[in-house]
Amino acid sequence: MSDTRRVYDAENTLLFMLDNGGTVQFLGSSLTLPVERRFGDLEGVRRYLREVRRRPWGHPQTPEPRVRVRKGHTKAHWSEDTIAIPDGIGERGWAMREVVVLHEYAHHVAWHEHAATGHGRDFQEVYLGLLENAVAPEAALIVRVGLGTGSRSV
């Protein structure tokens, strides 16, 4: 299975669990998940990323990414220092959530710190660190297990 497929499958599991919230059963353990942050507009995404970047684990040494609306509603994307996210409500609002924003920010950081593209080891390491610190250790655990890395570091 490709890195991209593993990342998206693991992320989709996390998103499903976050959508169902509270205490979930995961591999025989009870995990209490936080309420995921949702954003009403792109300025909210920008403010959130500025706050993340102020933390030592938020990669403050990387340049601040631009955030813009992405045309269409099927994908969020990072390219050339820009995070492009579909905005809006309903079908278009799926991307205005913390996990999706952190995923795209992880691409930004992996590129600037490791010249890494795609969803390989460097991206995964950054993404898991962001999930663990910004969302919750339980969120990172769910994705880590989905990536096949268990409790060890990527």
Side-chain angles (χ1 to χ4, degrees):
M1 180 183 306
S2 74
D3 286 335
T4 298
R5 178 67 185 260
R6 287 183 324 133
V7 167
Y8 283 115
D9 285 353
E11 186 174 280
N12 286 335
T13 298
L14 173 60
L15 292 172
F16 175 81
M17 290 182 167
L18 287 168
D19 285 344
N20 290 294
T23 301
V24 297
Q25 296 302 308
F26 183 70
L27 300 176
S29 295
S30 295
L31 301 179
T32 301
L33 296 174
V35 174
E36 182 187 16
R37 291 170 181 91
R38 305 279 182 139
F39 307 102
D41 56 29
L42 292 181
E43 188 52 39
V45 172
R46 290 182 191 106
R47 281 192 308 270
Y48 172 76
L49 285 173
R50 281 194 294 272
E51 188 60 32
V52 165
R53 293 183 73 254
R54 290 176 41 176
R55 309 284 193 238
W57 49 262
H59 304 272
Q61 68 279 11
T62 62
E64 185 172 350
R66 287 187 31 216
V67 178
R68 70 168 177 82
V69 171
R70 180 180 170 115
K71 293 180 182 176
H73 64 272
T74 60
K75 294 182 180 180
H77 182 70
W78 176 85
S79 177
E80 299 177 16
D81 289 338
T82 301
I83 295 172
I85 300 177
D87 68 347
I89 58 173
E91 213 173 273
R92 288 179 54 106
W94 70 268
M96 297 291 282
R97 58 191 302 173
E98 186 173 25
V99 170
V100 173
V101 169
L102 291 174
H103 177 119
E104 298 310 327
Y105 181 57
H107 282 297
H108 180 75
V109 171
W111 169 251
H112 283 281
E113 293 185 8
H114 307 285
T117 60
H119 294 93
R121 186 176 183 90
D122 292 323
F123 166 84
Q124 292 172 28
E125 184 177 302
V126 170
Y127 185 44
L128 288 167
L130 290 169
L131 288 174
E132 183 168 338
N133 289 287
V135 180
E138 295 83 357
L141 173 65
I142 291 164
V143 172
R144 185 174 281 116
V145 169
L147 293 172
T149 60
S151 61
R152 59 188 163 84
S153 296
V154 175

